[in-house]
Amino acid sequence: MTKKNDLKSEYFGKDFVWGVSSSASQTEGAWNEDGRGASVWDHFATKRKKILYNHTPEIACDFYHRYPEDISIIKSLGIPNFRFSLSWSRILPDGTGEINKKGIDYYNRIFDECQKRNIIPWITLYHWDLPQTLQLKGGWKNRDIIYWFEEYVSVCSKAFKDSVRNWMILNEPSVYTGAGYFFGIHAPGEKGSKKFLSAVHHSVLCQAIGANTIRREIKGAHVGTTFSCSYITPSSNKLKDIAAANRVDAILNRLFIEPSLGLGYPLKDIPLLHKIEQYFHQGDEKLMKVEFDFIGLQCYTREVVAYNYFAPYIKAKLIPANRRKVYHTVMDWEVYPEAIYQMIKKFSSYHGVKKIIITENGAAFNDKLEKNKVADVERIHFFSNYIAQVYRAKKEGYKVHGYFIWSLTDNFEWAEGYYPRFGLVYIDFKTQKRIIKDSGYWVKNFLMDVN
Ligand code: IFM
């Protein structure tokens, strides 16, 4: 474990954006309350029972009822920005058509609460919770999603245009398409390259269509989208490991940003990707392109890659951190602070990227609640060292302008259920009691200079 350092938030300057992130499915609960429709995650967890220990997002952190308390905690920690997502099926229970007024009212109450406490909302439109009715029509595989999504974004922008300036279109499309449509380990649990490639192409179209819809409806909107990214290194100097690492980099880090910048898909690096062309309609190259005001990067770790003849399509495998015997979190993600610096540097080098905001960074450790206290020293070191690397990138002139912690509270960590705890705030899921961890107090102290 690396040591803390003496970095101060004031070194980043007054305009640097500091915040904390969460998402609807992971925190809200109230899954069928006030007219909300089911999402693919509700279905995956409750009907198909695909989550570790059979956990479900039905109650989660009960943010739906407890948002005033949680927003007051954000305030008490001196965190000025709050990123969270809207639940598509709370707003449009069937994905399209009838609008659920109670859903709109709920988000308006949250925006009011943020305003009351002087906290700026940053909204993600899609954080993986597709309405189940749309999944029954093929979900992201069905090209009609470009119309469904446009309708959803248009409803949200009309409803919330006076309350929200900062919008993110998609959350980590490489994860919901890869884990949800290729490996089948995330909702909706589908597998195979055809499903994956169609979901990828339609997501790329939607990330542009969504941004254009927000721009059309809201003057002065600040529009971005978010990408998951990992620093990729080869396991050896052998040419075949280096080439394998390049392929993994193309699929994990370049697949979604490059078409949006007008560079097309990274076809040269991954021959299989040519198959994506069967989903193209005339004019798609143009439709995929969009100028974002910022891109959100969500970087947690690095991956070490080796050539593997048996791995389908990319002939590469990731070597897990525990097999490499390196320091790692409970997700088995290597703690490697320089990864975030390398990713800021890499994405800064794209001419079309104007501004980068780290929209997620954080870690799950084995937190212990003892005497109403969580002494999560490892998380404090984690933040201290990753933020130092963000500072290094900023000082060297790369385009980073903000940093959001994942996450405000412990929450529903998708296929892993409630076992990994990422929060600055511990949740006793039996009582829903909130306990600020030592890392929460560390953040408060760290942000003292900018408040
Ligand atoms: O919890 C997730 C989040 O929903 C998306 N980014 C990574 C986080 C930690 O796994």
Side-chain angles (χ1 to χ4, degrees):
M1 193 200 312
T2 32
K3 286 269 172 269
K4 275 194 303 178
N5 50 58
D6 299 326
L7 191 65
K8 288 194 158 61
S9 57
E10 65 180 342
Y11 299 170
F12 288 80
K14 280 275 170 231
D15 294 334
F16 197 81
V17 180
W18 295 100
V20 70
S21 283
S22 76
S23 89
S25 274
Q26 295 179 270
T27 60
E28 282 182 0
W31 74 290
N32 60 359
E33 238 175 273
D34 291 338
R36 182 182 180 278
S39 79
V40 285
W41 275 96
D42 300 317
H43 188 82
F44 196 60
T46 58
K47 298 276 186 301
R48 297 186 54 196
K49 306 216 180 299
K50 291 286 187 184
I51 312 296
L52 191 66
Y53 306 127
N54 281 341
H55 288 169
T56 77
E58 288 166 292
I59 301 175
C61 311
D62 195 26
F63 181 79
Y64 190 76
H65 300 108
R66 293 169 198 260
Y67 68 87
E69 181 182 356
D70 289 352
I71 294 172
S72 82
I73 293 176
I74 300 177
K75 183 70 190 170
S76 78
L77 298 181
I79 301 173
N81 295 278
F82 179 29
R83 170 179 176 248
F84 57 99
S85 73
L86 307 178
S87 152
W88 187 341
S89 62
R90 200 178 284 293
I91 291 171
L92 291 161
D94 290 325
T96 61
E98 204 168 324
I99 299 173
N100 178 24
K101 188 173 171 310
K102 288 191 174 164
I104 304 278
D105 292 346
Y106 159 65
Y107 289 112
N108 275 327
R109 289 197 297 278
I110 302 186
F111 296 134
D112 289 348
E113 195 69 28
C114 287
Q115 199 184 18
K116 194 167 102 192
R117 303 203 178 262
N118 214 7
I119 286 165
I120 301 170
W122 290 64
I123 293 306
T124 313
L125 282 153
Y126 184 74
H127 199 124
W128 305 358
D129 43 359
L130 189 73
Q132 177 63 13
T133 27
L134 298 184
Q135 179 55 31
L136 295 175
K137 296 179 188 163
W140 285 100
K141 295 172 308 185
N142 184 338
R143 189 176 170 102
D144 283 349
I145 197 157
I146 67 179
Y147 306 109
W148 306 332
F149 191 66
E150 186 172 20
E151 179 182 337
Y152 164 59
V153 177
S154 169
V155 168
C156 295
S157 50
K158 287 196 174 87
F160 307 126
K161 67 163 135 226
D162 296 329
S163 316
V164 183
R165 176 173 175 260
N166 305 295
W167 295 88
M168 283 145 286
I169 310 302
L170 301 179
N171 184 75
E172 300 181 354
S174 64
V175 179
Y176 71 77
T177 55
Y181 287 87
F182 185 81
F183 292 113
I185 50 174
H186 273 195
E190 302 212 5
K191 286 185 193 161
S193 67
K194 276 196 173 155
K195 295 175 178 178
F196 170 65
L197 291 178
S198 55
V200 167
H201 187 54
H202 301 144
S203 298
V204 167
L205 292 169
C206 283
Q207 87 189 346
I209 290 167
N212 292 330
T213 307
I214 295 278
R215 286 244 171 75
R216 215 171 37 238
E217 306 278 353
I218 311 179
K219 258 213 175 117
H222 185 225
V223 188
T225 198
T226 76
F227 301 115
S228 144
C229 57
S230 299
Y231 179 41
I232 308 295
T233 54
S235 60
S236 80
N237 285 336
K238 290 189 195 133
L239 286 181
K240 57 185 188 170
D241 289 330
I242 295 173
N246 281 341
R247 290 192 293 277
V248 171
D249 181 57
I251 208 110
L252 292 186
N253 294 330
R254 297 170 46 206
L255 185 59
F256 287 88
I257 188 163
E258 296 196 353
S260 80
L261 297 173
L263 303 171
Y265 291 110
L267 302 179
K268 280 201 204 101
D269 301 83
I270 306 175
L272 162 88
L273 272 184
H274 278 288
K275 294 195 176 159
I276 205 166
E277 286 164 352
Q278 65 188 291
Y279 304 106
F280 271 57
H281 287 200
Q282 213 184 356
D284 275 7
E285 273 92 355
K286 213 164 146 213
L287 211 55
M288 297 192 290
K289 219 179 138 189
V290 60
E291 232 180 78
F292 286 114
D293 298 309
F294 70 95
I295 58 157
L297 292 186
Q298 317 200 148
C299 175
Y300 290 80
T301 189
R302 80 157 165 168
E303 296 292 353
V304 174
V305 175
Y307 173 77
N308 184 300
Y309 175 79
F310 299 104
Y313 312 116
I314 55 166
K315 298 212 179 304
K317 65 170 182 210
L318 309 184
I319 307 178
N322 61 28
R323 284 242 328 266
R324 289 184 275 128
K325 301 202 186 328
V326 290
Y327 178 46
H328 58 272
T329 69
V330 302
M331 300 292 283
D332 196 19
W333 295 346
E334 180 181 8
V335 176
Y336 194 84
E338 195 190 332
I340 205 164
Y341 164 82
Q342 292 292 350
M343 289 297 95
I344 295 169
K345 191 169 160 186
K346 179 182 177 77
F347 283 82
S348 291
S349 72
Y350 286 113
H351 179 68
V353 168
K354 298 183 191 158
K355 171 158 94 172
I356 293 170
I357 300 208
I358 300 296
T359 36
E360 284 183 22
N361 174 239
F365 290 110
N366 266 320
D367 296 334
K368 296 269 172 303
L369 177 65
E370 276 160 357
K371 299 193 183 136
N372 220 25
K373 207 176 135 46
V374 180
D376 55 339
V377 185
E378 286 183 282
R379 189 172 289 103
I380 294 173
H381 285 141
F382 181 96
F383 284 133
S384 168
N385 292 308
Y386 273 71
I387 292 173
Q389 292 290 328
V390 175
Y391 181 59
R392 175 180 168 206
K394 183 169 165 53
K395 233 179 22 188
E396 290 177 17
Y398 296 113
K399 302 172 186 169
V400 62
H401 291 265
Y403 175 92
F404 285 68
I405 281 170
W406 184 269
S407 183
L408 173 64
T409 57
D410 296 336
N411 58 45
F412 175 71
E413 179 53 30
W414 309 114
E416 278 79 24
Y418 295 95
Y419 163 62
R421 291 180 175 269
F422 275 90
L424 294 178
V425 179
Y426 184 94
I427 299 216
D428 175 341
F429 287 105
K430 287 206 185 89
T431 61
Q432 289 293 345
K433 188 172 173 209
R434 274 79 170 133
I435 297 121
I436 299 175
K437 301 179 192 174
D438 283 1
S439 59
Y441 294 113
W442 178 85
V443 168
K444 176 177 181 172
N445 195 41
F446 177 71
L447 292 181
M448 207 87 98
D449 305 328
V450 286
N451 279 310

